[in-house]
Amino acid sequence: MSTTGATADPLAALGALPGVAESVESVRKAVDRVYGHRVMRRRSNAVTSEAALRGARGSAALSGADWALEEVRRRSDFGVDDEARVVGAALRLTAEAGQLLSIWRQSPLRVLARLHLVAAATGGDEVGRPRQAGERVDEPLVELPLPGADEVAGRLEGLAQLVIAGSQAPALVTAAVVHGELLALRPFTTSNGLVARAAERIVLIGSGLDPKAICPAEVGHAELGRAAYLAALDGYVSGTPEGMAAWIAHCGRAVELGVRESTAVCEALQRGAA
């Protein structure tokens, strides 16, 4: 996304694109409904915990580790193979996101570096910093052309400036742009998809749209499927108004599906079945 132009608030300009207001309103209504569920008045912590687990499972699935929820729930060793490491990384990121909310608006690049460090869980020199010229990126599920290191640095700085400056744009728009920009840039050598979805989670929670973290967009992204996810991302990368609006709408639908998942959790808790 270009951060230059006539408008001082490019995120708000995206909120005015055709169809985006409808997506924003639909998400707002869905979130309000689940927050109004009677279970949320007394067992919101249980819903939050379950949403975190299911969100991590969804994010891992989009990064190639599509495990059953109960497998994620029962496992304790996440270092035995590549898929297990992906699931472990997704779980760690979901837990870490809540600890970084207060830092995000002041230092988003610091948060992104921390997210990559948590996801990678290794001590390599490339961990926790944007990739440098000549470094390879291991992100096989996103096959878009890879921006060069200089472009990555410039666009990350632009994204950080947008976050720090604040915006009148709805939370959904900001979250979608953060998510899409990180996927388009793939600024780290590994784990970019996991980091991008964790950053989207931070925006949705920190904005006040989902303060209790019970609307896991990652669940919706996984349910909509990898093909639809990548097709919507193509729209974001195109930079056209239609493409941008389609990506924001896709992210909105993902949040709504996350709401549906947590509503089912609320119903199960109400019945005493979870």
Side-chain angles (χ1 to χ4, degrees), residues 42 47 225:
R42 50 194 172 83
V47 181

Side-chain angles (χ1 to χ4, degrees), residues 56-67 72 78-93 118-119 138-141 191 193-194 197:
R57 192 217 73 82
S59 188
L62 284 169
S63 285
D66 192 1
W67 288 13
V72 178
F78 294 101
V80 295
D81 56 43
D82 288 345
E83 285 198 3
R85 282 188 282 273
V86 168
V87 175
L91 289 167
R92 291 192 301 274
L93 284 172
V118 169
D138 181 15
E139 197 71 42
L141 301 178
S191 305
L194 294 173
R197 291 184 288 275

Side-chain angles (χ1 to χ4, degrees), residues 4 13 29-30 38 41 58 71 85 87 117 122 131 135 153 155 159 163 189 218 220 235 238 243 248 257 267 270:
T4 61
K29 288 180 177 179
R38 61 186 300 180
R41 294 197 295 270
E71 177 70 5
R85 282 188 282 273
V87 175
L117 187 67
T122 64
R131 56 186 168 84
E135 290 183 327
R155 286 173 62 177
L159 181 64
V163 171
T189 56
E218 306 96 323
S238 76
I248 294 167
L257 290 171
E267 295 295 329
Q270 187 168 285

Side-chain angles (χ1 to χ4, degrees), residues 243-260:
M244 297 292 287
W247 169 251
I248 294 167
H250 184 87
C251 290
R253 182 59 180 150
V255 175
E256 291 185 63
L257 290 171
V259 167
R260 188 179 71 180

